[in-house]
Amino acid sequence: MSDYTGAVRPGGPIDVRELPGLTISKCSVGPMDNNAYLLVADGEGLLIDAAAEPARLVDLIGDVPVRTIVTTHRHGDHWQALADLSDRTSAQIVAHPLDAPLLPVPVTRTVEQGDTVSVGSRSLSVIHLRGHTPGSIGLRYDDPSGYPHLFTGDSLFPGGVGKTSSPETFNSLINDVEQRIFAELPDETWVYPGHGNDT
């Protein structure tokens, strides 16, 4: 675990973090330096954001049976490989109902604030982060032996919140980040964003 930095680049090596009972693998894909995350527990996989480069994501997955693919939000750079990975894995496709209609494949399960998504025996809580898109979500994993791990899509980065389209959507996003993340989670929480380095 101490070797993990979260610093990845398109075409570069995958970074892997081993937690007790859960492995997190991170790679960067596509021209917009999108992060894709593979979570593995009990021999089962969950992919967060099939963003681009399906062949690279297939290499990331290897022989792990991926049961679930979560799309954090509806922007096209986060789902360019979704149709291909959906065909290859037959995984359930998960997204928030406000963003699901704009994805290129049918969503088989919609999730909202407070729902959970599982990988093996491990559960992640869904956090609805309104503002970057109406249906942007994050996933929170509470490591029983350490601090929380939070996958935020484009809603939270090391320098602040993600891009919004108006003062109203900015206020919505900053309020959700403050109330649903900062007020709920300790400072030690590790954040895995949709692009770039972790924080």
Side-chain angles (χ1 to χ4, degrees), residues 9-46:
R9 58 181 172 76
I14 295 164
D15 205 358
V16 179
R17 166 171 266 168
E18 297 281 354
L19 303 175
L22 182 74
T23 300
I24 301 168
S25 299
K26 177 183 181 181
C27 73
S28 174
V29 293
M32 296 185 72
D33 189 14
N34 284 76
N35 295 325
Y37 299 93
L38 176 68
L39 281 56
V40 178
D42 304 312
E44 178 181 308
L46 178 150

Side-chain angles (χ1 to χ4, degrees), residues 10 42 44 56 59-60 62-63 83 85 122 124 132-133 137 164 179 181 190 192:
D42 304 312
E44 178 181 308
R56 181 154 163 76
D59 287 343
L60 172 70
D63 59 0
L85 269 291
R122 306 291 167 162
L124 296 95
H132 183 65
T133 67
I137 58 171
T164 54
Q179 294 167 14
I181 295 177
W190 193 281
Y192 305 82

Side-chain angles (χ1 to χ4, degrees), residues 10-11 27-37 47-61 69 71 75-85 88 194-195:
C27 73
S28 174
V29 293
M32 296 185 72
D33 189 14
N34 284 76
N35 295 325
Y37 299 93
L47 182 67
I48 300 173
D49 284 342
E53 298 185 56
R56 181 154 163 76
L57 295 181
V58 168
D59 287 343
L60 172 70
I61 292 166
I69 301 174
T71 301
H75 288 159
D77 60 311
H78 288 260
W79 52 252
Q80 293 297 309
L82 181 58
D84 197 312
L85 269 291
R88 288 174 182 263
H195 304 264

Side-chain angles (χ1 to χ4, degrees), residues 131-163:
H132 183 65
T133 67
S136 290
I137 58 171
L139 295 176
R140 168 184 172 176
Y141 174 66
D142 290 313
D143 180 0
S145 63
Y147 44 80
H149 297 260
L150 185 65
F151 301 86
T152 57
D154 286 359
S155 293
L156 181 63
F157 295 99
V161 297
K163 183 179 179 181

